[in-house]
Each structure stands twice: as C-alpha cells, then as structure tokens.
Amino acid sequence: MKKVDFVDLKAQYKTIQQELQENIDRVIESCAFIGGPFLNGFEKNFADFCGVKHAIGVSSGTSALHLALTALGIGKGDEVIVPVNTFIATVEAIVHTGAKPVFVDMDSDNYNIAIEQIESKVTDNTAAILPVHLYGQPVDMDKVLAIAKRHKIFVVEDACQAHGAGYNGRKVGSIGDIAAFSFYPGKNLGAYGDGGMVTTNNSEFADKVLYLKDHGSVEKYYHKVIGYNYRLDGMQAAILDVKLRHLPDWNESRRKNAALYTELLQDVEGVKLPTEIDNASSVYHLYVIQVDTDRDELREYLGEQGIASGLHYPVPCHLQPAFSSLGYKEGDFPESERYAKRIISLPMFPELSPNEIEYGCEHIKSGVTRG
Ligand SMILES: *Cc1c(COP(=O)(O)O)cnc(C)c1O
C-alpha cells in the first residue's frame, strides 16, 4: 500500500544536509550559542525577506506574540480582538499579558477573521486587533488597518503560519504595527527545535522586545524592567538562516501542490475547496477542505488507504475548556462551530509529489461518493 505523510521533514533535510551541517559546525566551533553572529545574521536576512526594519529572534511563536503585545503596552484592563478559529497560542498570549481576548467568528470563504464583524466588538477598552494569517492565507489587511485607524488601536499580525505570504506587493509581518512568526519544525520555515521572530518597522517597539526577551537587560547584569528568557539560540538561527535561502522555492512548491489539489478536486460534489482573496498570495501552510459527508469516517477511510490528514482545528477556541472563564458558550460563533465539524487538512509540504496528490485525491473522491 502507498503511504502519503502529512508532512515529511526528513525529505526536506536530505536536500540541504550538507549546507546545514557546515553551518551547525561553524556555530559549535565558534561557541556562538546565545546571541552572536549567527543570530544577528539571520535576523537581518529575515527582516530583508519580510521587507521590515526590525526582526528580533525569540524562543517561539507564542513568546513572539506575548512580547509583541507587551511591547505595545497591552495588559490588564485592555481587550484584544482575535479570531475564534485559530491555534490556542494566539489567545494564550493575550491572556498572559493580563488583557482579555474578545472573539470574532470566521469568514466562511477564506477562513480568516470575519472583518465585517470586528467593529461591533470595539469598546473603550479595545487596545488592538490580532488578525491571524491562517493556513498561510493573508488577511485582507487594508480593511483591518482602516478599522484600527478609525478607533486608534493597534494591529498585531499573527504570521506564524504565513512566512513569505504576499499582500498588495508587501509581505505579511510588515503590514501591522508589529508581528509574530513561529519556527516550530512543521511551519513553512521551521527550526530543529523551537523558535520565533518579532518583526516591526517601529524602533521603539523593537527596542522593548530586545530587552524584554533577555531579562529586561539593556546591558549585561543591568535590568531596566522585569523581562523573560525568550531568546532564540545561535544553533537554531544558523539552521534557519540556511533554510531561509530555500523558502521562496519551497513556498512556490506548496502553491503548485495546492493548485494540483484544486484542479483534481474542483468538480467533486460535496467538497468545498480553499480560495484566495484578491491581491494576495497564500503560502499554503495547510490545504484545508470541507466535506458534506461524515468527516471522521472519511478521515478513517483515507487512513486505511495510507493517506494521513489533520484537523485545524477540531474545537474553536471559545469552546476550549482552557477558556471557560471567558464565559462563551456553544452557538456564539456558528460559522466556526459548523466549520470545525466539516474540515480535513490534506497532506501538504514542498516535497509532496504529484503522484501522491493524485493518489490522495482519488481516494477523497471514492471516499465522499461512498456515502
Ligand atoms: C504555531 C502557531 C503559534 C505558536 O507558535 P509556537 O512556535 O508553537 O509557540 C501561534 N499562532 C499560530 C496561528 C500558529 O500556527
């Protein structure tokens, strides 16, 4: 039987083994484990890649979000507007600052925050909107920025799934006031461990992130504020710097894979495919379809054929027990709730072959018509 993985990090490693090994050796030989030239070099290259003035390496996407919000001065008494259809870390970061997350339902066409519902959630306490470029698909940022401007609130981008995604000639992570990226191994740009990045064009915010991530210290053993140990280490930076050179090609391969999925599945009845918004280019961190048939049965059937799949995400954030104290209940966000029961994420990574995609699509077809 054929086997189609959901992601195959080994396949990617094999294509860059030599370059990686050389850079890892350099880190060890120079003992540049914390801070130093590998971190500085990668930060500069990532800033250039995003088209942004400042990029500060941090320990994860979650710490990037936490620091981004903290650098804006967001905390107790503030509210942050966030989509309910996201990975839990987006919301955790808000809670960790002491601010209150205020959920918004999803747009049924592009899976991102329902922009037309944002303004009704703005109160005197709203400090920021935190849109998520989910699955690698950019949020329609001009509309979000217009709302933020009207109400004089910040925009924090969660770009953890969207390294390199384009919007109106810019890259995500350079559009709002500040942004967060994750280098979790399975992301489009993944470390060999944990890692993250904060990007911004604002020097004051960048400065704050710089000392907050390192115990609030502006000079060794002189601490301006109480900070965190949220540093990105030299080894991960050296690995990420090598991988960054390949990211444009890898993103292009993901787009090709997505196009083939779309071509093969577009006429299948009872299957809804992802679409892209105008003036934007998704980097397809995930390719997520919706099905009318029993989702769990279809997943099981695909599994029997050797085809892996995922759920992103099975429970919308407002129904997670972790957030029960926020007081939301079933029925509050009908679109996200309905969607969570219908979705399947298909195998998606740059090295996925046309053969594997064809095999997967054949069985999705036979699976949904099986009834
Ligand atoms: C992965 C992810 C995060 C968190 O990143 P970590 O590096 O795992 O902390 C936050 N938001 C979204 C949307 C993510 O996909």
Side-chain angles (χ1 to χ4, degrees):
M1 187 179 70
K2 259 196 165 152
K3 193 169 153 291
V4 186
D5 292 320
F6 190 67
V7 255
D8 184 352
L9 298 178
K10 253 190 214 161
Q12 184 165 85
Y13 171 62
K14 284 187 193 131
T15 67
I16 52 170
Q17 193 167 1
Q18 176 108 23
E19 297 171 78
L20 271 177
Q21 206 56 61
E22 284 170 13
N23 229 24
I24 289 170
D25 286 346
R26 281 189 204 112
V27 175
I28 299 170
E29 275 158 22
S30 59
C31 295
F33 300 124
I34 305 286
F38 297 93
L39 176 67
N40 297 341
F42 174 56
E43 286 176 335
K44 164 131 202 354
N45 291 335
F46 195 77
D48 290 347
F49 174 77
C50 294
V52 79
K53 272 197 206 135
H54 309 279
I56 304 112
V58 296
S59 55
S60 71
T62 309
S63 53
L65 284 162
H66 186 191
L67 289 177
L69 292 163
T70 306
L72 299 178
I74 291 171
K76 209 167 169 12
D78 291 324
E79 292 175 5
V80 177
I81 294 174
V82 65
V84 73
N85 179 37
T86 184
F87 180 55
I88 192 164
T90 320
V91 188
E92 275 179 324
I94 299 169
V95 176
H96 287 325
T97 67
K100 184 181 150 197
V102 174
F103 289 125
V104 171
D105 210 347
M106 57 171 265
D107 185 302
S108 56
D109 286 327
N110 61 48
Y111 308 157
N112 278 328
I113 189 165
I115 295 173
E116 71 285 356
Q117 294 179 29
I118 291 177
E119 210 148 14
S120 67
K121 304 285 171 99
V122 175
T123 71
D124 288 346
N125 295 327
T126 306
I129 309 170
L130 206 177
V132 181
H133 306 294
L134 200 69
Y135 311 152
Q137 156 102 291
V139 171
D140 199 343
M141 290 297 288
D142 284 346
K143 292 181 185 158
V144 175
L145 293 175
I147 296 170
K149 200 170 169 197
R150 263 201 299 282
H151 298 278
K152 300 194 172 58
I153 53 182
F154 292 118
V155 175
V156 181
E157 294 174 75
D158 182 337
C160 287
Q161 300 189 359
H163 323 65
Y167 177 80
N168 275 336
R170 302 175 72 173
K171 294 263 171 63
V172 303
S174 72
I175 304 167
D177 293 288
I178 195 163
F181 289 88
S182 164
F183 303 128
Y184 183 82
K187 300 287 163 87
N188 289 35
L189 180 61
Y192 287 174
D194 275 311
M197 188 75 87
V198 177
T199 56
T200 180
N201 281 311
N202 182 305
S203 306
E204 192 191 319
F205 301 153
D207 220 44
K208 281 190 186 163
V209 172
L210 211 53
Y211 60 70
L212 282 170
K213 69 149 190 186
D214 194 16
H215 304 292
S217 90
V218 279
E219 190 185 329
K220 199 157 191 171
Y221 304 130
Y222 291 86
H223 307 276
K224 187 180 166 106
V225 294
I226 297 171
Y228 306 89
N229 176 356
Y230 276 175
R231 297 178 302 246
L232 178 66
D233 67 74
M235 190 80 80
Q236 297 305 339
I239 290 164
L240 288 161
D241 207 24
V242 169
K243 295 183 81 177
L244 180 61
R245 296 175 207 150
H246 299 272
L247 183 60
D249 286 342
W250 289 338
N251 281 343
E252 201 44 47
S253 298
R254 286 175 181 271
R255 288 184 56 78
K256 277 196 192 128
N257 293 342
L260 184 56
Y261 270 126
T262 300
E263 184 190 322
L264 296 174
L265 293 174
Q266 63 188 348
D267 296 325
V268 182
E269 213 168 311
V271 177
K272 188 172 179 328
L273 304 179
T275 55
E276 289 186 64
I277 63 164
D278 290 341
N279 306 319
S281 175
S282 170
V283 289
Y284 288 98
H285 174 57
L286 295 168
Y287 189 91
V288 181
I289 64 170
Q290 299 179 54
V291 295
D292 292 344
T293 48
D294 188 305
R295 186 268 313 279
D296 296 325
E297 270 177 31
L298 178 60
R299 279 195 80 202
E300 202 182 310
Y301 174 72
L302 292 176
E304 286 160 14
Q305 315 303 318
I307 302 156
S309 63
L311 297 179
H312 301 86
Y313 297 89
V315 181
C317 284
H318 70 294
L319 299 179
Q320 294 284 3
F323 298 131
S324 59
S325 68
L326 294 175
Y328 291 97
K329 59 182 186 315
E330 200 154 346
D332 284 346
F333 301 101
E335 199 55 52
S336 299
E337 290 170 25
R338 193 178 80 93
Y339 174 78
K341 299 191 178 89
R342 289 168 45 82
I343 44 169
I344 302 185
S345 308
L346 304 183
M348 174 54 85
F349 52 95
E351 297 76 16
L352 187 67
S353 73
N355 255 333
E356 290 173 310
I357 295 173
E358 279 158 19
Y359 178 77
C361 290
E362 254 169 55
H363 288 287
I364 290 164
K365 271 183 222 177
S366 54
V368 295
T369 48
R370 224 168 44 118

